[in-house]
Amino acid sequence: MARGCVAEYGGPMCALKHIPAIVLAAGQSSRMRGADKLMQNVDGEPLIRRQCRIARQVCERVLVALPPAPHDRYTAISGLDVTPVPVADAAEGMGASLRTAFAALPKTARAALLLLGDLPDLTQDDLNTVIQAVDLNSETLIWRGTTSDGRDGHPIIFAKPLFTQFAKLTGDHGGQSIVKSAGHRVARIALQGNRARNDLDTPEDWANWRALRD
């Protein structure tokens, strides 16, 4: 246990150390017209590898929801200290990925960080900023990143009392219903610019993003 930790991992140092991460990377990239958005090159590495790497830099355990093998995404994350979690019914949508990944969390987890695989502007510091806002002894159930102007985004940290709700998810609506069920018990943490929401789903999105970086 980290120095200064209280029982049950209540302090911020412990929250940083013990909260596992889930990277959602089982989607079909259906709007990419044959390309795979998670295999796009971002600063010299596939996006999926980048997302897993920054998650592992702040969380001691990282689960990666993936389509059934074989798939190029498994090769892209090879050598990283992360745990692939195949989603047998990934074609169903995000609900299947969330059901499968949350069921795979360690029983000792008191919260989990959820990170979309397709947010190339999020940084390790952004993840740290959201994690450091966590207080597992408060009434708050969700901590989530927002844009600088307050629009909800990622990453999102869910406290353990919400975990059972993920087993009931279906379709492609993600965890919106679970966030709604938490009511006022949601803390929002502003991140720089649009990083918390800037997902790139089409070849045009990627071309525009690259042009702005040049």
Side-chain angles (χ1 to χ4, degrees):
M1 187 176 294
R3 183 178 179 182
C5 292
V6 297
E8 302 274 337
Y9 307 147
M13 288 285 291
C14 301
L16 177 62
K17 179 174 174 57
H18 292 284
I19 292 176
I22 292 170
V23 178
L24 290 185
Q28 300 182 65
S29 294
S30 57
R31 297 173 61 193
M32 285 291 290
R33 301 195 292 276
D36 186 343
K37 63 182 176 181
L38 296 184
M39 295 295 290
Q40 297 298 300
N41 187 299
V42 177
D43 298 327
E45 62 185 335
L47 175 58
I48 182 176
R49 186 176 183 89
R50 176 193 184 274
Q51 302 303 84
C52 291
R53 178 177 54 76
I54 65 172
R56 183 62 184 85
Q57 286 170 341
V58 300
C59 297
E60 65 181 11
R61 183 161 186 180
V62 176
L63 308 180
V64 190
L66 291 164
H71 198 286
D72 288 345
R73 294 176 191 171
Y74 289 84
T75 302
I77 63 172
S78 64
L80 294 179
D81 183 19
V82 299
T83 303
V85 179
V87 180
D89 44 359
E92 174 194 318
M94 195 178 295
S97 294
L98 290 169
R99 286 197 314 267
T100 303
F102 272 83
L105 286 170
K107 301 302 182 186
T108 55
R110 294 186 63 215
L113 181 148
L114 181 65
L115 175 63
L116 297 183
D118 60 355
L119 295 170
D121 291 328
L122 276 179
T123 67
Q124 176 184 340
D125 286 343
D126 292 331
L127 304 189
N128 268 324
T129 296
V130 177
I131 286 178
Q132 288 169 357
V134 171
D135 180 356
L136 296 175
N137 294 319
S138 71
E139 68 168 9
T140 303
L141 291 172
I142 294 173
W143 298 261
R144 76 178 306 172
T146 74
T147 61
S148 58
D149 58 0
R151 290 174 295 145
D152 287 342
H154 282 76
I156 308 178
I157 296 175
F158 294 91
K160 188 170 188 173
L162 298 175
F163 286 5
T164 57
Q165 295 188 41
F166 285 91
K168 306 170 187 175
L169 291 180
T170 59
D172 200 31
H173 300 295
Q176 297 174 27
S177 62
I178 298 173
V179 173
K180 186 176 180 179
S181 76
H184 71 282
R185 301 172 72 179
V186 179
R188 291 174 167 84
I189 300 96
L191 304 175
Q192 183 176 336
N194 195 44
R195 297 200 298 226
R197 289 177 61 94
N198 193 31
D199 58 329
L200 307 177
D201 292 327
T202 68
E204 292 77 17
D205 289 341
W206 279 97
N208 291 336
W209 180 78
R210 290 189 174 107
L212 289 171
R213 297 183 94 210
D214 289 342

